[in-house]
Amino acid sequence: MTEKSDNQLVDETAATFKAVVESTDEITRARLQAARRSALDAADRNTSPFRWQRTVPGAAMAACLVVGVLMLTPVLDGPDPAEVASLPLMPVLNEDDMAVVQDLELIEELAFVAYLAELDFDDGQVL
Amino acid sequence: MASPTAEALDRTIGPVLVAFRVEYEVGEDGLAAATDEQRQAMDRFLAGVEQRAYAMTVMSIRNADDALDVIQDAMITLASKYGHRPETEWAPLFFRILKNKTTDFVRRRNVKDRLFGFFGVRDDEHSVEGDPIDNLKAAMGDSPEMQHALSGTRADLMAALAMLPDRQRDAFLLREVEGFPVADTAVAMGCSESSVKTHYSRAITNLRETMTELMDDDDAAMKETDG
């Protein structure tokens, strides 16, 4: 070994490495080829000029989500305690409101009568 | 019949839309217009370099599956981020990316080994121990061609090469196997040109010393066998 020059050593080592690489078996070559194809497909997806078609809707949805959360925050926090304290304990109804309430009560009674009329008492069903 | 206002709007916006369309179809880096051609060129380049890069990575990582993952990551990065660069720049860029990813992987694995070692768990699947030649055969295939390529002195040469420190081995392989000039090797290794020369020189010195030791061991083993 000692009589070999540096150039010979370098050449033999490089040649051996190349020989090893060329002796790669078919399975390993196929795995490398599959890795390459997969990498190029992934790169195509990353560099596609149509990427914005996925990015823009995603960003818009994220923005809507943030705005929605910000808008709901006061609701989630509940009413202002000071505002609640200032409210009267019992609702005060004026005459118009009372008339509406009475109308609703009348409608409720009529609906109940109509419901009774549809029941078949002959089958022994009782309320 | 378009109104005068609409016609004025068309005259104003029309060139802008045309310019946008041209810019959009061509893309910033000419990617959209040159996708097929560029993809084929990238495919050819990677096909030409992948086996040598794989062998280099296996020597550093000493695990076939992990080396394949690292190679694929490097390919994705090159194609997606540097595909628009001139083809002449791809080779040094690819090896630079590969070296960085290999270093990252080895660091992560060392941290994981320390962590699992602390808890007494050993990750045998990704163990890096073993004979470098056996690792190489396991990764590249133990075919008759491989056995011939690694017979006699050549096995010692590959063992000596595999035992070199990573930086020295990289300098040697990039210079002698890839045929990179010193400047490209410096780009690929991420260091100065003088560092490349130093690593290369030390690689040859270490190769010679390791080869001498290995051949002495072989001679001693043969004498024992004869005796």
Side-chain angles (χ1 to χ4, degrees), chain B residues 62-83:
Chain B
R62 299 185 187 179
N63 182 286
D65 294 331
D66 293 338
L68 203 61
D69 286 344
V70 170
I71 289 265
Q72 191 174 22
D73 276 351
M75 287 174 171
I76 291 172
T77 304
L78 177 77
S80 60
K81 296 188 176 174
Y82 300 96

Side-chain angles (χ1 to χ4, degrees), chain A residues 1-7 9-14 16-25 28-29 31-44 46-47 49-50 52-53, chain B residues 24 31-32 39 42-43 46-47 50-52 54-56 59 65 68 72 75-76 79-80 136 139-141 143 145-146 149-150 154 157-158 161 172-173 176-177 200 204 207-208 211 215:
Chain A
M1 190 66 213
T2 49
E3 63 269 13
K4 282 186 181 175
S5 68
D6 282 350
N7 285 339
L9 179 66
V10 167
D11 290 344
E12 281 186 20
T13 309
T16 304
F17 182 83
K18 287 176 184 172
V20 167
V21 169
E22 286 170 6
S23 306
T24 307
D25 65 357
T28 308
R29 286 174 197 263
R31 292 180 75 193
L32 282 168
Q33 187 179 5
R36 170 166 37 95
R37 295 282 157 80
S38 175
L40 288 175
D41 288 343
D44 278 351
N46 287 345
T47 56
F50 298 101
W52 65 270
Q53 289 178 348
Chain B
Y24 176 73
L31 287 175
R39 184 190 163 102
M42 182 62 75
D43 192 36
L46 292 176
E50 66 191 8
Q51 289 178 40
R52 295 192 302 276
Y54 180 62
M56 290 172 70
M59 282 183 170
D65 294 331
L68 203 61
Q72 191 174 22
M75 287 174 171
I76 291 172
S80 60
L136 207 57
M140 312 284 286
S143 60
E145 292 85 3
M146 184 65 76
L150 290 173
R154 285 176 287 207
L157 278 172
M158 283 305 288
L161 186 63
F172 178 83
L173 291 176
E176 294 302 329
V177 177
Y200 181 80
I204 294 174
L207 264 180
R208 178 172 293 283
M211 276 300 292
M215 294 188 77

